[in-house]
Amino acid sequence: MDSRDINLPKYMVYCGIMAGVGAFCNGWTIGSPNVPGEITHNCPNGAQHVDSAAFPDCLPMETSLWGFAVASFCVGGLLGSLVGGAIQTKLGRKLTIILNNSGFILGAILIGCSVHPAMFIIGRIFCGLSCGLGSLVIPTYLGEISTRRARGLLGFFNQFFVVVGILLSSAIGLPTATVPLWRLAYAIVAIPAVFQIFAMGTCVESPRWLISVGRIEDALISLQKLRGTADVSNEFYDIVAGQVGHKRAARLLKENSHEKNMKNVNNDEGFDNNSGFDNGTSDYHQKELDAAGGASADLEHGEDDNEQRPPMSVIEIFRDPVIRKITLIVLFHHTIQQLSGMNAVMYYSTTIFEQAVSHEEAQLMAIYTTLVNFGMSVVAMLVIDRMGRRILLIASELGTTLFSILLVIGYLYNIPNLLIASVFVYVASFAIGIGPIPWMITSEMTPIEASSSVGAVATGMNWAMNFLIGQVFPVIFAAIEGWSFLIFAAICFTSAVVTFFFLPETKGRAIEDIVAGFTKK
C-alpha cells in the first residue's frame, strides 16, 4: 500500500505521543500558579520558617510583583522561540526536543527550592525558555513525521497535551494549595521532563530534516519506520524532490542503493512495522528507481532543475515573495491566537463568575472551563482531518466573536446565566480552531528550508502577544470593564474574514504541494 494513503501507523503515533510530553510540560507551567498562587505569595506566616527550617513558608510579593512573576515565563518563552529556529536547524528536531527538557528540570528545582522571589522568577523564566523552544520544535516534528491523512490529528497533539497539562496542574493544585505543598505543584513538571529525555531516545528523527542535511539513507530508514509496512517510494521521492528539485532527486535516488540499509529497519523498539519487508526489498527498490527514472525522463525536456536551498534567515523569509506570503499568514494567525482574548477570559474567569456565584463556586467553575477546553479539544482532534482546517478555524473565530459580544451583554446587564454560558461556549469555540490550528499550519505550510525561521518568528510573536495581553489587559479591564471584550469580538471577526480569503486548506495535501500553490498565485 502506498504510504501516502495510510492513516495512523502505530510507531508514528507513538513518536507523536512521546513528543507531546513536552507540550504537557508547557501546559503544566502555564496552569501551575492558578490554584496554589495565593498561598505561594500570601500565606499567614509570610517568609518565616515555621513549617520548615530550610525554606520559608511562602514568598511574600505585592500583587504587581506576583503578576510579573507569573507572567515572567512568557519572557523566557519569547527568548526560547527566537533562538529555537537556529537550534532545531543545527541539532535536528529529536535532539532539540530532548535538550529542551533541561529548562523544565532546572526551573522546577529553582522554584521548588526557592527562598526568595528572585529564585521563583528565574525558575519561571527557565521553564519559559523550554516552553518557547518546545512550542516551536514540537509542532515542527509532529508535522514532519505525519502521514498526509493524519497530519491534522497528529498536529493536534501539541495543543491537546498543553490542555491536559493545564487541566492536571489545576487538579493537582487543589490538594497542594497549602504550606509547604505549593512547592510540589510547581516542581512536578520535572517528572515528565525527565521521562521525555529517555522516551525520545526510542523515536526517529524527522525524515525531512535528515534530507535537508544530506542524510538521504538515514531519512529513508526513518520514513520507513514511521510508515510501517507501507510502500514509501513515492512519498520519499516527493519529499526529496520538494527540497532539491525533481532532477536532482532523481539523480540522488539513482546514485544511492538503499537495499543494504533497509535490512536494519526491523529493529523498531518492539513495533511490528516491517514484518515481511525483506521479501519485498527488491520490488521496493525497483519502484523507487522507476519513479526516479520516470521523473528524470520527463525532466530531460527542462521541466525542473531546482537546487537544494540552504536554511533561510529571518531576513530572507521576508525577501522571498512566496515564503513572505506564507510567513505573513502564519504570523497573522499566531497574533490572533493571543489577541482573540482567550488568556484574558481565563485570567478573569473567576472574577467574571463571581458576578453570578460565590467565590468558592467561581474557583470551581474556573476549573470547569479547563475541562470544557479539554473536551472540545478531543472533539476537534476527531474531526480535524474530516472537516479541514479552514472550516474549523472560521467557525472558531465566528464563535468567539458571538460569545464575546454576549459576554459583554451579560456583564453590563448583570445576567448571571448568560455570563456563565458565554464563558463556557467562548472557551469551546476557541478550543476547536484558534487554539490548535496556528501551530499546525506553521509546519504544514512552510518548506523545510524556511521552517525554522518562520517558526521562530511566529512563535516569538505568539509569546510576545501573550506577554502583552497579560500586562495590558488588566489596565483596559480596570478602565472599561465588560466593554473590553468588544475589542476581542472585533479582532475575532476580522480574523474570520482574513481566514476566509487568504488561508488555503491544507487537509490531505503534501507540504510541497501547499507551497507550490503559493508559487502559482
Side-chain angles (χ1 to χ4, degrees):
M1 184 177 184
D2 193 323
S3 63
R4 295 174 298 181
D5 298 325
I6 63 175
N7 193 15
L8 291 168
K10 293 179 182 179
Y11 184 65
M12 182 194 76
V13 174
Y14 170 81
C15 291
I17 292 173
M18 293 304 102
V21 173
F24 174 87
C25 294
N26 188 341
W28 191 281
T29 301
I30 294 171
S32 56
N34 289 352
V35 179
E38 182 67 20
I39 199 71
T40 301
H41 78 284
N42 187 27
C43 64
N45 295 321
Q48 299 180 44
H49 293 241
V50 176
D51 191 81
S52 169
F55 305 110
D57 282 13
C58 65
L59 307 171
M61 294 181 233
E62 297 293 332
T63 301
S64 58
L65 180 58
W66 171 246
F68 176 77
V70 172
S72 60
F73 88 103
C74 292
V75 177
L78 176 59
L79 295 174
S81 61
L82 291 178
V83 302
I87 294 174
Q88 72 168 8
T89 298
K90 179 70 174 178
L91 301 180
R93 301 359 178 181
K94 175 181 172 180
L95 184 56
T96 301
I97 291 174
I98 292 173
L99 293 178
N100 185 55
N101 290 289
S102 59
F104 289 124
I105 295 170
L106 184 56
I109 293 172
L110 284 172
I111 295 175
C113 300
S114 56
V115 296
H116 189 276
M119 286 184 68
F120 183 93
I121 293 172
I122 294 172
R124 289 284 290 177
I125 291 174
F126 272 111
C127 287
L129 285 168
S130 288
C131 288
L133 180 55
S135 296
L136 171 61
V137 68
I138 293 171
T140 301
Y141 181 77
L142 293 173
E144 291 180 355
I145 68 170
S146 177
T147 60
R148 293 184 188 182
R149 293 181 59 188
R151 200 166 59 232
L153 176 60
L154 210 67
F156 230 103
F157 278 15
N158 180 69
Q159 183 68 13
F160 175 75
F161 277 96
V162 168
V163 171
V164 171
I166 295 173
L167 177 62
L168 288 184
S169 66
S170 298
I172 295 296
L174 290 172
T176 57
T178 61
V179 177
L181 293 182
W182 63 264
R183 297 177 181 274
L184 184 62
Y186 299 100
I188 283 177
V189 72
I191 297 174
V194 171
F195 168 78
Q196 190 184 49
I197 290 175
F198 295 98
M200 281 302 297
T202 65
C203 299
V204 295
E205 179 56 89
S206 158
R208 282 183 165 85
W209 179 80
L210 290 169
I211 293 169
S212 72
V213 295
R215 294 167 57 183
I216 305 297
E217 300 287 351
D218 291 338
L220 177 61
I221 294 173
S222 176
L223 183 65
Q224 188 65 68
K225 284 187 176 183
L226 290 166
R227 300 297 182 260
T229 57
D231 178 4
V232 301
S233 56
N234 291 320
E235 182 183 6
F236 187 66
Y237 175 79
D238 289 344
I239 296 173
V240 176
Q243 293 192 38
V244 304
H246 290 280
K247 183 177 291 186
R248 191 176 175 203
R251 185 172 68 249
L252 282 173
L253 296 184
K254 280 188 173 182
E255 290 174 351
N256 288 277
S257 174
H258 308 302
E259 293 179 21
K260 61 182 182 297
N261 292 316
M262 298 314 298
K263 295 177 182 178
N264 297 325
V265 177
N266 290 317
N267 296 326
D268 205 349
E269 288 82 27
F271 288 86
D272 185 18
N273 275 344
N274 299 285
S275 57
F277 185 81
D278 286 340
N279 293 332
T281 299
S282 58
D283 291 339
Y284 168 88
H285 189 54
Q286 186 59 49
K287 288 180 181 179
E288 186 179 78
L289 292 179
D290 288 344
S296 182
D298 291 338
L299 293 166
E300 287 176 359
H301 298 90
E303 185 177 311
D304 180 283
D305 63 349
N306 292 336
E307 291 297 324
Q308 184 171 15
R309 301 180 64 175
M312 300 175 73
S313 68
V314 171
I315 295 176
E316 288 172 335
I317 63 175
F318 287 102
R319 286 178 175 171
D320 185 294
V322 174
I323 304 302
R324 181 170 62 243
K325 293 178 188 177
I326 296 172
T327 302
L328 292 176
I329 292 174
V330 171
L331 268 178
F332 175 82
H333 284 95
H334 273 273
T335 302
I336 292 300
Q337 187 188 68
Q338 296 301 326
L339 296 186
S340 63
M342 175 63 171
N343 283 337
V345 171
M346 297 302 287
Y347 292 157
Y348 280 83
S349 58
T350 301
T351 303
I352 294 170
F353 288 138
E354 284 177 349
Q355 305 292 317
V357 296
S358 67
H359 176 71
E360 290 74 17
E361 290 176 314
Q363 284 185 316
L364 286 175
M365 284 193 173
I367 295 177
Y368 294 157
T369 59
T370 306
L371 280 171
V372 170
N373 196 0
F374 171 78
M376 291 307 297
S377 294
V378 173
V379 172
M381 280 179 62
L382 298 177
V383 301
I384 184 71
D385 283 311
R386 298 176 184 174
M387 299 181 65
R389 287 46 156 169
R390 273 173 52 86
I391 189 170
L392 278 181
L393 187 54
I394 292 172
S396 175
E397 290 161 341
L398 292 177
T400 51
T401 300
L402 174 62
F403 288 98
S404 291
I405 295 172
L406 292 178
L407 188 60
V408 173
I409 295 173
Y411 197 94
L412 293 178
Y413 293 97
N414 195 23
I415 307 175
N417 290 337
L418 182 60
L419 271 174
I420 295 172
S422 296
V423 171
F424 282 141
V425 185
Y426 174 92
V427 171
S429 299
F430 179 90
I432 65 171
I434 300 175
I437 291 178
W439 300 110
M440 293 169 56
I441 63 174
T442 303
S443 59
E444 285 187 327
M445 294 172 57
T446 313
I448 189 71
E449 69 270 11
S451 62
S452 290
S453 291
V454 173
V457 171
T459 309
M461 177 65 75
N462 194 296
W463 283 100
M465 291 298 103
N466 190 339
F467 184 76
L468 180 67
I469 288 293
Q471 299 302 305
V472 172
F473 182 74
V475 179
I476 297 175
F477 190 80
I480 60 176
E481 295 187 335
W483 289 103
S484 56
F485 291 99
L486 279 181
I487 300 173
F488 300 132
I491 290 172
C492 291
F493 181 76
T494 302
S495 178
V497 174
V498 172
T499 300
F500 180 80
F501 285 105
F502 296 103
L503 182 69
E505 180 56 70
T506 58
K507 180 187 75 171
R509 298 173 64 191
I511 295 174
E512 295 75 20
D513 177 50
I514 296 168
V515 176
F518 282 94
T519 305
K520 296 173 184 176
K521 292 182 180 179

